[in-house]
mmCIF file of all heavy atoms in Angstrom:
data_model
loop_
_atom_site.group_PDB
_atom_site.id
_atom_site.type_symbol
_atom_site.label_atom_id
_atom_site.label_comp_id
_atom_site.label_asym_id
_atom_site.label_seq_id
_atom_site.Cartn_x
_atom_site.Cartn_y
_atom_site.Cartn_z
ATOM 1 N N GLY A 412 34.757 -58.521 -69.607
ATOM 2 C CA GLY A 412 34.408 -58.327 -68.208
ATOM 3 C C GLY A 412 35.547 -57.915 -67.303
ATOM 4 O O GLY A 412 35.380 -57.865 -66.086
ATOM 5 N N VAL A 413 36.706 -57.621 -67.852
ATOM 6 C CA VAL A 413 37.871 -57.229 -67.052
ATOM 7 C C VAL A 413 37.895 -55.709 -66.933
ATOM 8 O O VAL A 413 37.829 -54.999 -67.933
ATOM 9 C CB VAL A 413 39.185 -57.727 -67.687
ATOM 10 C CG1 VAL A 413 40.381 -57.278 -66.850
ATOM 11 C CG2 VAL A 413 39.156 -59.241 -67.809
ATOM 12 N N VAL A 414 37.968 -55.232 -65.708
ATOM 13 C CA VAL A 414 37.990 -53.798 -65.439
ATOM 14 C C VAL A 414 39.250 -53.470 -64.653
ATOM 15 O O VAL A 414 39.513 -54.083 -63.609
ATOM 16 C CB VAL A 414 36.743 -53.340 -64.660
ATOM 17 C CG1 VAL A 414 36.826 -51.843 -64.363
ATOM 18 C CG2 VAL A 414 35.468 -53.654 -65.442
ATOM 19 N N THR A 415 40.022 -52.554 -65.159
ATOM 20 C CA THR A 415 41.210 -52.085 -64.455
ATOM 21 C C THR A 415 40.995 -50.657 -63.979
ATOM 22 O O THR A 415 40.038 -49.991 -64.390
ATOM 23 C CB THR A 415 42.450 -52.144 -65.368
ATOM 24 O OG1 THR A 415 42.214 -51.310 -66.515
ATOM 25 C CG2 THR A 415 42.706 -53.572 -65.833
ATOM 26 N N VAL A 416 41.873 -50.213 -63.119
ATOM 27 C CA VAL A 416 41.755 -48.877 -62.534
ATOM 28 C C VAL A 416 42.971 -48.048 -62.935
ATOM 29 O O VAL A 416 44.110 -48.475 -62.757
ATOM 30 C CB VAL A 416 41.649 -48.950 -60.995
ATOM 31 C CG1 VAL A 416 41.609 -47.544 -60.392
ATOM 32 C CG2 VAL A 416 40.404 -49.726 -60.590
ATOM 33 N N GLU A 417 42.694 -46.878 -63.501
ATOM 34 C CA GLU A 417 43.735 -45.901 -63.800
ATOM 35 C C GLU A 417 43.528 -44.671 -62.916
ATOM 36 O O GLU A 417 42.393 -44.317 -62.596
ATOM 37 C CB GLU A 417 43.702 -45.490 -65.276
ATOM 38 C CG GLU A 417 44.048 -46.608 -66.228
ATOM 39 C CD GLU A 417 44.084 -46.143 -67.672
ATOM 40 O OE1 GLU A 417 43.821 -44.933 -67.897
ATOM 41 O OE2 GLU A 417 44.355 -46.970 -68.561
ATOM 42 N N TYR A 418 44.623 -44.052 -62.552
ATOM 43 C CA TYR A 418 44.570 -42.910 -61.641
ATOM 44 C C TYR A 418 44.892 -41.631 -62.410
ATOM 45 O O TYR A 418 45.903 -41.556 -63.117
ATOM 46 C CB TYR A 418 45.540 -43.096 -60.481
ATOM 47 C CG TYR A 418 45.105 -44.182 -59.515
ATOM 48 C CD1 TYR A 418 45.466 -45.507 -59.721
ATOM 49 C CD2 TYR A 418 44.312 -43.867 -58.416
ATOM 50 C CE1 TYR A 418 45.057 -46.499 -58.841
ATOM 51 C CE2 TYR A 418 43.906 -44.851 -57.534
ATOM 52 C CZ TYR A 418 44.274 -46.165 -57.750
ATOM 53 O OH TYR A 418 43.858 -47.139 -56.876
ATOM 54 N N LYS A 419 44.018 -40.666 -62.257
ATOM 55 C CA LYS A 419 44.180 -39.372 -62.919
ATOM 56 C C LYS A 419 44.498 -38.325 -61.855
ATOM 57 O O LYS A 419 43.749 -38.160 -60.895
ATOM 58 C CB LYS A 419 42.908 -38.985 -63.671
ATOM 59 C CG LYS A 419 43.021 -37.661 -64.417
ATOM 60 C CD LYS A 419 41.753 -37.356 -65.174
ATOM 61 C CE LYS A 419 41.848 -36.020 -65.923
ATOM 62 N NZ LYS A 419 42.909 -36.053 -66.934
ATOM 63 N N PRO A 420 45.617 -37.604 -61.999
ATOM 64 C CA PRO A 420 45.969 -36.609 -60.980
ATOM 65 C C PRO A 420 45.061 -35.385 -61.048
ATOM 66 O O PRO A 420 44.557 -35.015 -62.105
ATOM 67 C CB PRO A 420 47.420 -36.236 -61.333
ATOM 68 C CG PRO A 420 47.524 -36.519 -62.796
ATOM 69 C CD PRO A 420 46.622 -37.690 -63.060
ATOM 70 N N PHE A 421 44.857 -34.770 -59.895
ATOM 71 C CA PHE A 421 44.103 -33.524 -59.830
ATOM 72 C C PHE A 421 44.703 -32.670 -58.720
ATOM 73 O O PHE A 421 45.400 -33.169 -57.831
ATOM 74 C CB PHE A 421 42.607 -33.791 -59.558
ATOM 75 C CG PHE A 421 42.320 -34.341 -58.191
ATOM 76 C CD1 PHE A 421 42.025 -33.498 -57.122
ATOM 77 C CD2 PHE A 421 42.355 -35.700 -57.950
ATOM 78 C CE1 PHE A 421 41.769 -34.003 -55.858
ATOM 79 C CE2 PHE A 421 42.109 -36.216 -56.691
ATOM 80 C CZ PHE A 421 41.815 -35.365 -55.644
ATOM 81 N N GLY A 422 44.414 -31.391 -58.762
ATOM 82 C CA GLY A 422 44.964 -30.447 -57.796
ATOM 83 C C GLY A 422 45.756 -29.366 -58.517
ATOM 84 O O GLY A 422 45.446 -28.972 -59.634
ATOM 85 N N VAL A 423 46.808 -28.896 -57.877
ATOM 86 C CA VAL A 423 47.689 -27.880 -58.448
ATOM 87 C C VAL A 423 48.912 -28.581 -59.030
ATOM 88 O O VAL A 423 49.654 -29.242 -58.307
ATOM 89 C CB VAL A 423 48.101 -26.838 -57.393
ATOM 90 C CG1 VAL A 423 49.027 -25.794 -58.006
ATOM 91 C CG2 VAL A 423 46.873 -26.170 -56.803
ATOM 92 N N GLU A 424 49.117 -28.437 -60.342
ATOM 93 C CA GLU A 424 50.216 -29.105 -61.036
ATOM 94 C C GLU A 424 51.134 -28.061 -61.660
ATOM 95 O O GLU A 424 50.685 -27.017 -62.119
ATOM 96 C CB GLU A 424 49.688 -30.031 -62.131
ATOM 97 C CG GLU A 424 48.733 -31.109 -61.650
ATOM 98 C CD GLU A 424 48.169 -31.913 -62.797
ATOM 99 O OE1 GLU A 424 48.972 -32.535 -63.536
ATOM 100 O OE2 GLU A 424 46.940 -31.912 -62.982
ATOM 101 N N LEU A 425 52.419 -28.399 -61.685
ATOM 102 C CA LEU A 425 53.411 -27.507 -62.287
ATOM 103 C C LEU A 425 54.528 -28.346 -62.881
ATOM 104 O O LEU A 425 55.120 -29.174 -62.194
ATOM 105 C CB LEU A 425 53.987 -26.542 -61.258
ATOM 106 C CG LEU A 425 55.143 -25.651 -61.741
ATOM 107 C CD1 LEU A 425 54.664 -24.704 -62.818
ATOM 108 C CD2 LEU A 425 55.765 -24.883 -60.586
ATOM 109 N N ASN A 426 54.812 -28.142 -64.161
ATOM 110 C CA ASN A 426 55.955 -28.737 -64.853
ATOM 111 C C ASN A 426 56.736 -27.599 -65.522
ATOM 112 O O ASN A 426 56.137 -26.764 -66.196
ATOM 113 C CB ASN A 426 55.518 -29.741 -65.924
ATOM 114 C CG ASN A 426 54.767 -30.920 -65.344
ATOM 115 O OD1 ASN A 426 54.750 -31.128 -64.139
ATOM 116 N ND2 ASN A 426 54.131 -31.687 -66.197
ATOM 117 N N PHE A 427 58.048 -27.586 -65.355
ATOM 118 C CA PHE A 427 58.830 -26.532 -66.008
ATOM 119 C C PHE A 427 60.216 -27.051 -66.357
ATOM 120 O O PHE A 427 60.750 -27.964 -65.713
ATOM 121 C CB PHE A 427 58.905 -25.274 -65.135
ATOM 122 C CG PHE A 427 59.910 -25.353 -64.018
ATOM 123 C CD1 PHE A 427 61.185 -24.837 -64.158
ATOM 124 C CD2 PHE A 427 59.576 -25.944 -62.812
ATOM 125 C CE1 PHE A 427 62.109 -24.904 -63.136
ATOM 126 C CE2 PHE A 427 60.480 -26.011 -61.777
ATOM 127 C CZ PHE A 427 61.756 -25.485 -61.933
ATOM 128 N N ILE A 428 60.774 -26.461 -67.421
ATOM 129 C CA ILE A 428 62.133 -26.768 -67.874
ATOM 130 C C ILE A 428 62.876 -25.439 -67.990
ATOM 131 O O ILE A 428 62.563 -24.631 -68.874
ATOM 132 C CB ILE A 428 62.132 -27.489 -69.226
ATOM 133 C CG1 ILE A 428 61.327 -28.799 -69.141
ATOM 134 C CG2 ILE A 428 63.559 -27.780 -69.672
ATOM 135 C CD1 ILE A 428 61.223 -29.516 -70.461
#
Side-chain angles (χ1 to χ4, degrees):
V413 179
V414 178
T415 60
V416 177
E417 294 183 359
Y418 290 88
K419 182 178 180 62
F421 68 92
V423 180
E424 302 175 60
L425 174 65
N426 298 348
F427 79 96
I428 301 177

